Amino acid sequence: MTENLENMTPPAGATAVVVLSDGSVFWGKGLGAETTKVGEVCFNTSLTGYQEIMTDPSYAGQIITFTFPHIGNVGTNDEDIETVTPASLGCILRMDITEPSNFRNSQHFNDWLKKHDLPGIAGVDTRRLTRYIRDNGAPNGVICHKADGQFDLPALLTTAQEWPGLEGMDLAKEVSCTQAYDWEESLWKIGSGYGQLENPKFKVVAIDFGIKRNILRNLVAQGCEVKVLPATATAEEILSHDPDGVFLSNGPGDPAATGEYAVPMIKDVIASGKPVFGICLGHQMLSLAVGAKTQKMHLGHRGANHPIKDLTTDKVEITSQNHGFVVDKDSLPDGVEGTHYSLFDGTLAGIRLKDKPVFSVQYHPEASPGPQDSHYLFKRFVDLMEAAK
């Protein structure tokens, strides 16, 4: 394979390349920063929200292939971000970045990528790459942007092959806050922007494993005064704030690795009797804490069009998802029931404890990006806190 790469000639005009760990090569036009990044190559099927996706901390360690071809069409702004410093590693596009046409645009997407030192590549056959990931699983890969078009392909292949992969990797510490802070910003409305907390009714401690800002905004919109604590916070530190409820956030990496320090905390918080709500990584580690098991998925769920059935209401909701690990539905112990399931592949997407006010979901009800079908889950959390009071 290395010999083949040594003799490979880049196509005319190629200024970027993606090299997968099996030696597959995808050429294209470089975008954003001239740099090289290595990580897991995944795909996202969302039709909008590329800025929210790129700034979602759950994408730490990942290079994102967008299956929708028109990326950049609404530009970027300083509001539609899920964290200040993007954790994703770069993006792979079919078409060149679309010129922005939106009244909220403040910066071209290409300039935004440069600002955050993120490389991109356009002109890739993303349908071919997506089929590859579907059939073979999400591979390790390198994305490299060099304006001079000179690439050391064997060295890039070695870099891809030597990257350890996400399984067994704790990335929550890398994207979590390092100090506690208060959050009071509410949901965005056209004409007025983001609202602010008014007349708080509940105190919530949110554990930041890579939390998205729109999750915090949804909690505030439900009347919650939110204190955010780092991923390594102990149960004693959490309970010292005397919260009405505890929220376990989304985040990147292997839940079993982050669970080494988070699961003991979660067990103690559950034992306290406080209402608990978990999303994504928080859902996975909550499941570990009650005795279930997690596993790496073949290719994961990433997009804003995933149908989920809520067995507690018998309704189907279209959801936003981003996860590469899943809770084994056959490992749920007595006292824990599955509440939500994917209608794509039948995987477990939500649980609740039968004897405690504790529940979680695998997907992203904050809808950033994505449909708002699942906003009711924040109300469900508030109702549990109200009942506990």
Side-chain angles (χ1 to χ4, degrees):
M1 183 63 70
T2 302
E3 291 181 1
N4 293 338
L5 293 185
E6 287 176 348
N7 299 322
M8 185 176 291
T9 302
T15 55
V17 67
V18 173
V19 181
L20 304 184
S21 55
D22 71 347
S24 299
V25 177
F26 296 81
W27 297 100
K29 172 187 173 183
L31 307 168
E34 283 192 63
T35 187
T36 301
K37 298 290 179 70
V38 58
E40 181 179 275
V41 180
C42 64
F43 66 84
N44 186 296
T45 59
S46 299
L47 304 186
T48 187
Y50 53 85
Q51 190 179 359
E52 292 99 318
I53 292 167
M54 293 294 293
T55 56
D56 178 353
S58 296
Y59 277 110
Q62 293 179 301
I63 301 163
I64 305 166
T65 305
F66 287 100
T67 61
F68 187 65
H70 305 300
I71 301 299
N73 51 347
V74 296
T76 65
N77 57 61
D78 293 330
E79 292 185 321
D80 294 343
I81 57 173
E82 294 303 321
T83 189
V84 173
T85 304
S88 58
L89 299 174
C91 61
I92 301 171
L93 312 181
R94 175 67 184 96
M95 309 292 290
D96 200 358
I97 291 176
T98 309
E99 286 300 309
S101 178
N102 187 278
F103 73 100
R104 297 177 66 226
N105 170 57
S106 61
Q107 188 174 37
H108 195 285
F109 185 47
N110 191 61
D111 296 329
W112 186 89
L113 289 171
K114 289 179 180 178
K115 174 184 175 182
H116 293 289
D117 195 35
L118 294 173
I121 181 172
V124 171
D125 185 347
T126 51
R127 182 173 292 182
R128 174 189 159 211
L129 179 54
T130 298
R131 284 201 304 266
Y132 174 99
I133 297 171
R134 180 196 65 191
D135 296 340
N136 300 286
N140 295 345
V142 172
I143 180 171
C144 180
H145 173 197
K146 294 182 68 177
D148 62 9
Q150 301 297 310
F151 300 96
D152 186 342
L153 295 182
L156 293 176
L157 175 62
T158 299
T159 300
Q161 292 174 336
E162 291 181 348
W163 193 69
L166 292 178
E167 197 160 6
M169 189 176 290
D170 172 25
L171 292 173
K173 285 181 180 177
E174 295 184 15
V175 298
S176 176
C177 62
T178 56
Q179 293 181 320
Y181 64 92
D182 297 317
W183 184 272
E184 297 185 347
E185 187 176 84
S186 186
L187 295 173
W188 187 90
K189 293 182 180 179
I190 191 167
S192 57
Y194 290 113
Q196 291 294 313
L197 177 64
E198 297 178 2
N199 303 318
K201 301 175 183 177
F202 306 96
K203 290 173 61 178
V204 171
V205 169
I207 311 305
D208 178 12
F209 300 113
I211 200 163
K212 295 177 69 177
R213 288 184 167 190
N214 222 47
I215 288 175
L216 295 171
R217 296 178 188 124
N218 272 279
L219 290 170
V220 170
Q222 291 290 337
C224 298
E225 177 183 314
V226 184
K227 171 76 72 174
V228 184
L229 298 186
T232 52
T234 65
E236 183 179 8
E237 291 169 336
I238 294 165
L239 298 175
S240 70
H241 294 280
D242 192 25
D244 297 307
V246 177
F247 176 79
L248 308 172
S249 88
N250 63 294
D254 188 337
T258 305
E260 290 291 328
Y261 55 86
V263 163
M265 172 273 288
I266 296 171
K267 288 181 177 179
D268 288 344
V269 170
I270 292 173
S272 75
K274 298 284 186 182
V276 178
F277 177 25
I279 286 177
C280 199
L281 182 64
H283 156 77
Q284 294 160 359
M285 292 192 299
L286 175 63
S287 299
L288 290 173
V290 298
K293 297 178 181 179
T294 59
Q295 58 195 29
K296 185 83 163 63
M297 300 179 76
H298 177 64
L299 55 84
H301 291 173
R302 297 176 182 90
N305 57 349
H306 289 249
I308 292 289
K309 186 166 186 177
D310 181 350
L311 300 187
T312 66
T313 62
D314 214 31
K315 291 182 178 180
V316 175
E317 57 207 75
I318 303 302
T319 70
S320 180
Q321 301 201 14
N322 170 24
H323 60 101
F325 291 82
V326 70
V327 177
D328 180 358
K329 61 184 177 183
D330 296 324
S331 71
L332 293 183
D334 292 339
V336 182
E337 64 177 345
T339 56
H340 297 72
Y341 287 87
S342 168
L343 295 185
F344 275 160
D345 58 12
T347 51
L348 180 66
I351 65 167
R352 71 176 176 186
L353 273 59
K354 295 180 181 179
D355 60 346
K356 289 187 181 295
V358 175
F359 75 105
S360 61
V361 293
Q362 178 63 79
Y363 51 96
H364 284 267
E366 76 279 357
S368 187
Q372 300 180 5
D373 297 21
S374 308
H375 273 187
Y376 72 92
L377 290 167
F378 293 99
K379 178 64 164 55
R380 186 173 288 183
F381 183 40
V382 164
D383 289 344
L384 288 178
M385 290 189 286
E386 182 69 52
K389 274 190 170 185

